[in-house]
């Protein structure tokens, strides 16, 4: 991309974001007593949740840079979040745009668009100037091995060169890819909604193995992101189990039931393990949707302890603590050695929080109305807040923020990427 093109792209992104905020501000001013236009469609309980109690910031988060990428994920279910590798931030929107940004300024390094155009004639190329094409349904991305991997809901996985954005290989698998791929020992691990785990050669995309598991009649929209480490591919299953496959062959090493179904209806019997396992030392930690948080021995799968916490969001582990955001958006800190609760924070209850990110002595989460919250890891107190989305559900922070050097990078539902400093 030449300099003029990059400047135009950045200028357009900035103007787009400013326009959205101006329109939102005008709507707020014009309501004469109501806080936002969306309040017209909210019931009393939702308004009560939205009207969060103010806090006194102990520090002032600052927006270091921002970038707007297409339309984000719009109203679709998605766990698509940015990735960081080789001193670049990689981000994508569901429709097809993929971009690499510099971590300190947000400048564009390269960009690609994988939106689908069925025809490839000369006139169709010209028409692309004003047509957006069909959605590529990008669902996940991951960075590693000097590549960035782009996955879709149609089961397509592409490997791009991190420096140039050039496509190195493309492969397809049966089933939706809804979770971030994992990689280790030259093998890329994909988990699909069809209950099949795939191992691909990271350099060529060649399928090396596949491993199937049962899928219940009713399960959550979403799957566990696998972890590849210590010679194993570790993943949660929709049947309430933690499963480990040998990384080089895909052969199951062990599986342990974390929870068991109960109840009279299929809805009551949902026991998905949708969170990504967390490996820390010789143990692995996992949480199920129906209310079981467990620590297991990595080598054998033996359960060390269980506690009653339910979540479909990823855990965060740091030092001797586990941080959990449960299904009601209550935040907990527990001792990872025995599962004893240290503190809980219910001040953000029902705000659809993201999974937590640990930044030094702070815990960072985003919420449904575009607010970023910082908690003290020592006692769970709320110590800072930043309004990124302007109390707009279209600007909800839906994906787990990521750590980029000393910055927190997050993305809103409609594609606004922001890098925030909490120094």
């Amino acid at each position: 991309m030449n300099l003029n093109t990059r400047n135009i792209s950045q200028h357009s992104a900035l103007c787009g974001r400013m326009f959205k905020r101006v329109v939102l501000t005008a709507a707020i001013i014009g309501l004469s007593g109501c806080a936002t236009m969306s309040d017209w469609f909210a019931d009393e309980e939702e308004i009560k949740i939205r009207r969060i109690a103010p806090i006194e910031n102990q520090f002032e988060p600052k927006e270091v840079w921002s970038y707007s990428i297409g339309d984000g994920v719009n109203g679709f279910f998605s766990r698509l979040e940015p990735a960081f590798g080789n001193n670049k931030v990689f981000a994508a929107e569901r429709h097809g745009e993929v971009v690499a940004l510099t971590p300190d300024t947000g400048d564009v390094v390269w960009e690609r668009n994988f939106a689908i155009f069925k025809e490839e004639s000369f006139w169709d190329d010209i028409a692309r100037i004003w047509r957006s094409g069909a959605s590529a349904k990008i669902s996940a991305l991951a960075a590693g091995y000097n590549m960035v991997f782009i996955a879709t809901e149609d089961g397509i996985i592409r490997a791009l060169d991190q420096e140039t954005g050039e496509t190195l290989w493309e492969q397809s698998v049966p089933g939706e890819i809804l979770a971030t791929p994992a990689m280790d020992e030259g093998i890329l691990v994909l988990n699909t909604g069809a209950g099949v785990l795939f191992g691909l050669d990271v350099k060529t995309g060649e399928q090396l193995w596949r491993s199937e598991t049962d899928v219940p009649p009713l399960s959550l929209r979403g799957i566990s992101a696998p972890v590849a480490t210590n010679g194993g591919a570790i993943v949660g299953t929709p049947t309430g189990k933690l499963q480990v496959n040998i990384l080089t062959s895909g052969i199951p090493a062990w599986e342990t039931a974390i929870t068991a179904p109960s109840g009279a209806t299929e809805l009551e019997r949902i026991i998905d393990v949708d969170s990504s396992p967390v490996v820390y030392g010789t143990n692995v930690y996992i949480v199920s949707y129906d209310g079981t948080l467990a620590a297991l021995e990595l080598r054998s799968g033996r359960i060390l302890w269980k506690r009653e916490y339910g979540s479909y969001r990823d855990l965060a582990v740091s030092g001797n603590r586990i941080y959990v955001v449960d299904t009601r958006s209550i935040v907990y800190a527990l001792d990872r050695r025995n599962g004893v609760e240290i503190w809980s924070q219910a001040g953000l209850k029902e705000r659809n929080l993201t999974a937590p990110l640990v930044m030094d002595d702070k815990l960072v989460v985003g919420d449904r109305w575009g607010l970023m919250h910082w908690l003290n890891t020592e006692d769970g107190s709320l110590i800072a807040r930043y309004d990124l989305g302007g109390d707009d559900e279209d600007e909800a922070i839906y994906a787990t923020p990521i750590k980029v050097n000393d910055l927190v990078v997050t993305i809103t539902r409609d594609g606004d990427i922001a890098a925030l400093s909490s120094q």
Side-chain angles (χ1 to χ4, degrees):
M1 179 190 303
N2 60 43
L3 182 60
N4 288 336
T5 304
R6 180 168 61 190
N7 287 340
I8 291 171
S9 175
Q10 286 289 74
H11 179 70
S12 299
L14 179 60
C15 288
R17 188 170 184 184
M18 290 175 64
F19 176 76
K20 283 188 286 186
R21 291 198 171 185
V22 168
V23 170
L24 178 62
T25 303
I28 293 172
I29 293 172
L31 289 180
S32 302
C34 294
T36 64
M37 188 181 301
S38 53
D39 278 357
W40 294 355
F41 309 101
D43 58 28
E44 257 184 65
E45 186 176 349
E46 182 177 333
I47 292 173
K48 183 179 179 181
I49 295 169
R50 292 181 65 171
R51 297 296 159 257
I52 189 169
I55 64 169
E56 184 175 344
N57 280 0
Q58 296 182 20
F59 62 90
E60 293 300 328
K62 295 180 181 178
E63 190 172 303
V64 178
W65 57 260
S66 64
Y67 183 88
S68 186
I69 182 165
D71 294 322
V73 298
N74 278 320
F76 292 92
F77 168 85
S78 182
R79 290 180 175 173
L80 180 60
E81 62 188 50
F84 180 55
N86 259 5
N87 204 36
K88 295 177 186 65
V89 176
F90 303 99
E93 57 137 5
R94 185 178 184 272
H95 193 81
E97 187 177 343
V98 180
V99 67
L101 307 171
T102 56
D104 51 347
T105 63
D107 290 337
V108 177
V109 180
W110 54 258
E111 58 184 354
R112 295 283 308 274
N113 197 326
F114 293 98
I116 300 167
F117 292 85
K118 294 184 179 180
E119 305 294 337
E120 291 296 340
S121 69
F122 171 77
W123 294 111
D124 289 306
D125 286 341
I126 294 176
R128 289 189 185 200
I129 296 172
W130 63 85
R131 288 193 318 178
S132 61
S135 174
K137 302 179 186 177
I138 295 177
S139 55
L141 58 83
Y145 290 90
N146 296 316
M147 291 178 272
V148 55
F149 301 93
I150 312 297
T152 78
E153 295 169 23
D154 291 329
I156 297 171
I157 180 80
R158 295 181 179 92
L160 311 184
D161 185 285
Q162 286 190 0
E163 297 300 322
T164 65
E166 174 191 1
T167 300
L168 301 177
W169 56 258
E170 179 178 317
Q171 179 65 276
S172 62
V173 298
E176 295 178 300
I177 305 171
L178 299 176
T180 304
M183 65 204 81
D184 196 27
E185 298 184 23
I187 297 174
L188 183 72
V189 181
L190 305 175
N191 192 18
T192 69
V196 184
L197 196 67
F198 291 92
L200 308 182
D201 187 301
V202 78
K203 292 182 179 179
T204 66
E206 176 189 1
Q207 182 180 313
L208 302 176
W209 53 262
R210 59 180 285 164
S211 176
E212 299 185 20
T213 189
D214 294 333
V215 178
L218 185 63
S219 63
L220 298 178
R221 170 70 168 164
I223 53 178
S224 172
V227 171
T229 185
N230 294 315
I234 312 165
V235 68
T237 76
T239 54
K241 298 175 182 178
L242 184 65
Q243 173 183 306
V244 176
N245 295 66
I246 297 172
L247 187 57
T248 53
S249 65
I251 297 173
W254 56 259
E255 68 174 23
T256 298
I258 303 303
T259 184
S262 61
T265 68
E266 292 296 340
L267 187 62
E268 293 173 325
R269 294 170 66 84
I270 292 177
I271 56 172
D272 296 50
V273 177
D274 266 11
S275 66
S276 180
V278 177
V279 176
Y280 196 97
T282 59
N283 296 340
V284 57
Y285 302 90
I286 194 71
V287 63
S288 71
Y289 170 75
D290 74 325
T292 303
L293 170 66
L296 296 87
E297 191 176 71
L298 180 58
R299 181 182 293 270
S300 65
R302 180 174 65 91
I303 294 177
L304 303 174
W305 54 257
K306 281 186 180 183
R307 297 291 180 268
E308 293 184 2
Y309 296 89
S311 182
Y312 49 86
R313 300 169 179 88
D314 290 348
L315 304 169
V317 178
S318 179
N320 286 326
R321 293 192 178 184
I322 301 175
Y323 301 99
V324 184
V325 174
D326 77 358
T327 54
R328 299 169 299 165
S329 288
I330 299 175
V331 187
Y332 297 92
L334 298 88
D335 190 314
R336 71 171 183 85
R337 296 166 295 187
N338 51 31
V340 172
E341 186 175 310
I342 299 170
W343 55 256
S344 65
Q345 172 56 262
L348 305 173
K349 186 178 178 181
E350 307 298 349
R351 293 188 64 87
N352 286 21
L353 298 183
T354 66
L357 168 69
V358 179
M359 290 286 289
D360 301 320
D361 59 347
K362 306 176 185 70
L363 203 65
V364 189
V365 293
D367 77 16
R368 176 181 173 184
W369 290 284
L371 296 180
M372 295 287 291
H373 308 272
W374 280 258
L375 287 71
N376 186 321
T377 56
E378 187 61 32
D379 58 11
S381 59
L382 291 162
I383 55 176
R385 182 173 296 151
Y386 184 83
D387 185 357
L388 180 63
D391 196 32
D392 183 357
E393 288 187 73
D394 290 337
E395 293 273 8
I397 300 166
Y398 69 97
T400 310
I402 65 169
K403 184 179 187 295
V404 176
N405 300 328
D406 293 328
L407 301 177
V408 175
V409 173
T410 190
I411 187 168
T412 67
R413 182 162 285 280
D414 71 350
D416 286 339
I417 306 166
L420 306 174
S421 170
S422 57
Q423 300 299 315

